Amino acid sequence: MSIGFAPQAGGDRIRVVAFGGGHGLSASLRALRATGLPLEITAVVTVADDGGSSGRIRAGRDVLPPGDLRQALAALAGDDDLSDRTARLMQYRFGGADELAGHPVGNVVLCGLMEQLGDPVAALDQVGAMLRAVGRVLPMSNKPLGIEADLAVDGRQITVRGQHQVAVAQGRVLQVRLEPPEPDACPQALAAIADADWLVFGPGSWYTSVIPHLLVPQLAAAVTRSAARRLVTLNLAADRETVGLSLPDHLDALGRYLPDLKVDIVLVDRNAVGDPEPVANAAESLGARIAIAPVAVQDGTARHDPVRLGRALVPLLGTAR
C-alpha cells in the first residue's frame, strides 16, 4: 500500500505524465510547475542508472537506483520553506573520502525506505510527503534494469553494457536494449498513463533516459493505447551518446523503437532548430506539428530554462483532451 501520497484531484486539473530521467526530467518537471496551470503531474523515471552513487548502491543492495528518482522528487518539492529546506537536504552530497563520500542524503534515505517498506512506490510516496511534493514520482519498473547498446566505432560494431558506459562511450549508437528485455512495468505508472491528458517525453539523454520507456512492453502498449495527447521536447544539442544524431533523427528514433507512436506536438528551441523544415517533416511522420520557442537559458549553454520552457508549454497544454 502506498504511504503519504495525497493526489491533487479535481475535474478541472490537467493530468500530465512526464517520462525521462536525470537533469532532463528535472528541467521538464520544473517547467511544468512554472506554467501556473492546474496540473496533476506524475513523473515516470528510468531505473537503469549504474553510475556514481546510484551504481554503488545498486551494486551492494537489491533496490532501485535512487539518483534519478531523488532528482525528480526534488523538482516537485513544495514551495514552502520547510519543503525547500528538506529538498536541499535530500540533494546534499557527502564530501570526504569515506564510504559515505559522494552519496546524496536523498539516495541514502530512499534506499533505507525501500528496504524498510519493501515497496519502492510506497518509499517514493513517503519521501514525496516529506517534501510536500506537488506531484508523484514513479519508477518505470519496480525492479532495477540494465541497458546495453550496439555501437559503431571506427568501422566496427561493439556492444557496451551499463547505462553509464553507454552514455559516455565513443561511437554511434546503432541499437539500445534493456536487460532483462521484457521487464514488468510499474502498475501505478500504467494507471497514470491510462488516465492522462498529456504524455510528455524529453528533454534528456535520448538513448538512456527517453527511449528506455518505449522498451518496456507494458509501458509501450499503455502509451499506444492512451487517449492522451503527446508532446516531445527536443534537446538543445547533441551529447556524447547522440553525436551525429540530428534533431529529425531524434524523432525518427522514437518512431523506430515504437512504430505505433503518434505525437501531437514537437517543441524545439528557436536557436537549436536552424532550418525548421527537416524537423517539421520528421514531426509530421509521427503525426505532429512543431512549436518553436526560446526555451534555453540565456547564457548560451545547452540547458533548458524551466521558466522559459514553462512559458512555452502554457498555450500547448492549456486545453485538456
Side-chain angles (χ1 to χ4, degrees):
M1 183 176 74
S2 296
I3 297 175
F5 175 71
Q8 299 179 343
D12 59 345
R13 300 189 72 81
I14 303 168
R15 295 161 294 190
V16 178
V17 177
F19 301 87
H23 296 293
L25 179 60
S26 177
S28 181
L29 297 175
R30 294 179 191 277
L32 288 168
R33 297 186 61 183
T35 64
L37 295 170
L39 304 182
E40 183 177 323
I41 303 170
T42 301
V44 179
V45 185
T46 53
V47 290
D49 189 8
D50 62 353
S53 169
S54 288
R56 291 163 58 193
I57 287 174
R58 70 175 290 180
R61 296 181 179 274
D62 185 26
V63 297
L64 297 179
D68 288 353
L69 298 163
R70 182 201 81 248
Q71 287 202 58
L73 285 163
L76 292 174
D79 293 323
D80 59 285
D81 181 63
L82 177 60
S83 298
D84 179 67
R85 285 188 283 119
T86 305
R88 283 189 280 117
L89 172 62
M90 291 291 182
Q91 295 286 65
Y92 175 76
R93 194 177 294 270
F94 291 102
D98 61 3
E99 291 184 356
L100 273 179
H103 285 300
V105 170
N107 283 10
V108 178
V109 171
L110 275 170
C111 178
L113 281 171
M114 285 189 283
E115 288 191 358
Q116 181 185 47
L117 300 176
D119 179 354
V121 172
L124 289 163
D125 285 346
Q126 184 156 319
V127 175
M130 293 164 59
L131 293 166
R132 300 182 186 180
V134 296
R136 194 180 195 189
V137 174
L138 297 169
M140 70 178 189
S141 174
N142 288 346
K143 298 291 185 181
L145 305 178
I147 288 181
E148 66 176 33
D150 298 329
L151 278 71
V153 181
D154 298 329
R156 59 194 178 91
Q157 180 174 317
I158 65 170
T159 298
V160 176
R161 293 177 175 83
Q163 177 173 315
H164 176 70
Q165 291 302 318
V166 173
V168 302
Q170 301 285 350
R172 179 170 57 89
V173 175
L174 302 174
Q175 184 77 20
V176 65
R177 297 177 291 276
L178 291 179
E179 180 58 41
E182 295 187 0
D184 289 333
C186 170
Q188 292 88 342
L190 297 176
I193 294 167
D195 290 340
D197 298 302
W198 281 95
L199 306 178
V200 176
F201 300 88
S205 299
W206 220 243
Y207 287 114
T208 56
S209 290
V210 178
I211 285 175
H213 294 87
L214 308 182
L215 303 180
V216 179
Q218 292 170 332
L219 277 185
V223 168
T224 300
R225 286 194 305 265
S226 174
R229 299 176 185 179
R230 298 160 180 82
L231 183 144
V232 174
T233 302
L234 287 175
N235 290 338
L236 301 169
D239 54 22
R240 186 172 292 183
E241 73 180 43
T242 54
V243 169
L245 203 71
S246 68
L247 291 180
D249 291 339
H250 280 68
L251 296 174
D252 291 342
L254 294 179
R256 180 156 58 93
Y257 284 97
L258 185 55
D260 293 331
L261 178 66
K262 296 299 179 185
V263 176
D264 294 272
I265 298 170
V266 173
L267 177 59
V268 62
D269 181 71
R270 178 180 298 159
N271 295 321
V273 68
D275 179 5
E277 185 174 357
V279 180
N281 291 338
E284 187 176 357
S285 71
L286 297 175
R289 65 178 178 88
I290 64 168
I292 302 174
V295 296
V297 295
Q298 294 179 287
D299 63 6
T301 57
R303 294 181 296 115
H304 285 84
D305 182 320
V307 174
R308 301 179 90 194
L309 179 54
R311 191 179 299 132
L313 289 173
V314 170
L316 306 179
L317 302 180
T319 304
R321 69 171 183 241

